[in-house]
Amino acid sequence: MAGILQERLSALNDLHLTLKHIHWNVVGANFIGVHEMIDPQVELVRGYADTLAERIATLGSSPNGTAKAIEADRSWSDYSIGRDTAQAHLGALDLVYDGFITSHRNAIEKIGELDPITEDVLIGQTAELEKFQWFVRAHLESYTGELKHSGASGEKEAADAAR
């Protein structure tokens, strides 16, 4: 269980850094709205990392929050978009959230069999992250609910399609 939680801790630490990177690098139309929408996400994700680290410690293991731990635990690619438009970043971020939420849901399935308290923590986090993804998608959807970047296989492809 500690291994699953450590991987999720590293993923949360990476996600909050990715969100801050987007916050710093978003430009163009809708800049201020996206810039200000991202900061509460950063703070909540940082808090989620703290919660998981404390849960790891509560269960008797030692949480590792270093950059080296993020690299060691990473099964995903580093965020690949630099200075770009709000639409491009949001298209890429939607894919980031897809991957993150899927991984958190996989952890919920594994943890649920072992510890319902930890499962509950992960469920609450996932619900809020799904809401954030909804916020992101609201900027990208057409009035019919279509996403221009639907089917994109990577962040750059999603950014290009959303732009």
Side-chain angles (χ1 to χ4, degrees), residues 9-77:
L9 173 60
S10 291
L12 284 163
N13 283 332
D14 186 72
L15 180 59
H16 99 256
L17 291 170
T18 297
L19 289 166
K20 202 60 182 177
H21 173 84
I22 293 168
H23 172 85
W24 294 324
N25 284 286
V26 67
V27 297
N30 300 317
F31 157 79
I32 198 66
V34 171
H35 184 78
E36 291 181 352
M37 177 181 74
I38 296 293
D39 260 346
Q41 293 180 31
V42 170
E43 292 307 312
L44 197 68
V45 170
R46 276 187 190 154
Y48 288 169
D50 190 52
T51 297
L52 280 193
E54 290 171 353
R55 188 73 187 148
I56 291 168
T58 299
L59 295 171
S61 291
S62 179
N64 190 345
T66 64
K68 193 171 188 172
I70 294 172
E71 282 292 320
D73 293 334
R74 180 181 275 171
S75 61
W76 56 92
S77 299

Side-chain angles (χ1 to χ4, degrees), residues 1-7 56 59 61 111:
M1 191 160 73
I4 294 168
L5 292 179
Q6 177 59 53
E7 187 276 336
I56 291 168
L59 295 171
S61 291
I111 295 290

Side-chain angles (χ1 to χ4, degrees), residues 15 40-41 43-45 48 97 100-101 104-105 120-136:
L15 180 59
Q41 293 180 31
E43 292 307 312
L44 197 68
V45 170
Y48 288 169
Y97 273 133
F100 189 93
I101 289 166
H104 236 48
R105 284 179 168 272
D120 188 55
V121 169
L122 294 172
I123 289 169
Q125 291 179 352
T126 303
E128 199 65 24
L129 292 166
E130 287 176 345
K131 183 173 79 173
F132 282 151
Q133 187 176 33
W134 172 56
F135 291 171
V136 167

Side-chain angles (χ1 to χ4, degrees), residues 76-134:
W76 56 92
S77 299
D78 204 17
Y79 188 75
S80 59
I81 311 298
R83 181 178 172 89
D84 213 325
T85 66
Q87 294 305 102
H89 274 295
L90 292 175
L93 180 57
D94 185 42
L95 291 189
V96 169
Y97 273 133
D98 276 348
F100 189 93
I101 289 166
T102 297
S103 295
H104 236 48
R105 284 179 168 272
N106 290 338
I108 289 166
E109 285 181 35
K110 294 173 188 167
I111 295 290
E113 298 172 11
L114 305 171
D115 180 27
I117 305 301
T118 305
E119 177 190 38
D120 188 55
V121 169
L122 294 172
I123 289 169
Q125 291 179 352
T126 303
E128 199 65 24
L129 292 166
E130 287 176 345
K131 183 173 79 173
F132 282 151
Q133 187 176 33
W134 172 56

